Amino acid sequence: MPRHALIIVDLQNDFVEGGALAVSGGLELIPLANQWMPQFDVVIATQDWHPKNHQSFASQHPGVSIGDVFDLNGLSQVAWPDHCIQNSFGAKLVDGLNLSRINTIIQKGTDPEIDSYSGFFDNGHRKATCLADFLRSNDVDRVSVMGIATDYCVRFTALDAVTAGFQTTLILPGCRGVEMQTGDIKAAVEQMAAAGVTISPETP
Ligand code: VGL
Ligand code: ZN
């Protein structure tokens, strides 16, 4: 029987209230994730997992400020505050998330020279993580995506999922975005819809 996976994107301390790159409403997703996990055959969590010299950090580039866009090894890169540094508190999955229901954790963003918003590939689509292989070897044909941030990691994870051939749903009430510019979240949702992602306003 083909199976349905829940992909929980980057529910980590640095992305929720009080974190280095806090996204408004992030903490609200913890009870939702816990409530929804039992309804899926397979549950995956992604984890942004940067070395402390990650080149997406504004701190690594004199003269670059947080939010600036610069060229990183040929790719357009947003400069972020230091966040999700490997083994730090900020990189931990949020307290209260029911880890016992999570089948595997996919770490990404480990190469200091390239960012990795998607749980499937780095931003240059140069290297794949284990996520697609994990899903296929578990007979998954459908994925539903929730988490942080709608306009960054959720967006690129859902786009890569649908491109990889998985029937992909975005659980809208389970997502929160950065909204660096007004309209970013709306544009991200429209891009996912145009790519074939089903946008669900309902809870699963
Ligand atoms: C993310 C910015 C930088 C995310 C990760 O999880 O959406 N955003 N790193
Ligand atoms: Zn990051």
Side-chain angles (χ1 to χ4, degrees), residues 127-201:
K127 286 197 192 119
T129 65
C130 318
L131 181 50
D133 288 341
F134 178 85
L135 293 171
R136 293 196 182 102
S137 64
N138 281 278
D139 261 336
V140 169
D141 70 340
R142 275 184 74 190
V143 301
S144 291
V145 183
M146 67 171 294
I148 300 170
T150 322
D151 35 358
Y152 290 95
C153 292
V154 168
R155 169 186 170 199
F156 289 101
T157 299
L159 290 172
D160 281 344
V162 79
T163 302
F166 299 101
Q167 192 187 319
T168 305
T169 299
L170 182 80
I171 308 170
L172 209 46
C175 297
R176 296 293 183 275
V178 175
E179 194 83 337
M180 192 95 83
Q181 311 275 344
T182 307
D184 280 358
I185 294 174
K186 183 169 177 280
V189 171
E190 285 169 2
Q191 183 190 15
M192 289 184 261
V197 175
T198 301
I199 310 298
S200 173

Side-chain angles (χ1 to χ4, degrees), residues 33 35-36 44 69 79 88-89 113 127 153 155 170 173 177 182 184:
Q35 190 187 328
W36 298 341
I44 294 110
V69 176
S88 68
F89 173 77
E113 296 299 330
K127 286 197 192 119
C153 292
R155 169 186 170 199
L170 182 80
T182 307
D184 280 358

Side-chain angles (χ1 to χ4, degrees), residues 108-123:
K108 63 188 179 64
T110 55
D111 179 344
E113 296 299 330
I114 191 163
D115 213 351
S116 191
Y117 295 148
S118 162
F120 290 89
F121 287 99
D122 61 58
N123 289 2

Side-chain angles (χ1 to χ4, degrees), residues 10 15 21 48-50 54 56-57 80 83-84 108 115-117 153:
D10 296 5
F15 293 129
L21 180 34
D48 214 31
W49 194 247
H50 297 311
H54 197 271
S56 72
F57 298 165
W80 298 112
H83 66 278
C84 296
K108 63 188 179 64
D115 213 351
S116 191
Y117 295 148
C153 292

Side-chain angles (χ1 to χ4, degrees), residues 61-140:
H61 306 276
V64 171
S65 307
I66 292 164
D68 287 354
V69 176
F70 65 102
D71 179 285
L72 178 58
N73 300 312
L75 296 175
S76 172
Q77 175 68 51
V78 178
W80 298 112
D82 291 14
H83 66 278
C84 296
I85 293 173
Q86 294 172 6
N87 302 304
S88 68
F89 173 77
K92 279 185 64 182
L93 296 183
V94 284
D95 278 341
L97 191 64
N98 185 359
L99 302 182
S100 73
R101 284 274 177 183
I102 296 173
N103 298 101
T104 192
I105 297 172
I106 302 285
Q107 294 179 332
K108 63 188 179 64
T110 55
D111 179 344
E113 296 299 330
I114 191 163
D115 213 351
S116 191
Y117 295 148
S118 162
F120 290 89
F121 287 99
D122 61 58
N123 289 2
H125 271 230
R126 292 171 193 160
K127 286 197 192 119
T129 65
C130 318
L131 181 50
D133 288 341
F134 178 85
L135 293 171
R136 293 196 182 102
S137 64
N138 281 278
D139 261 336
V140 169

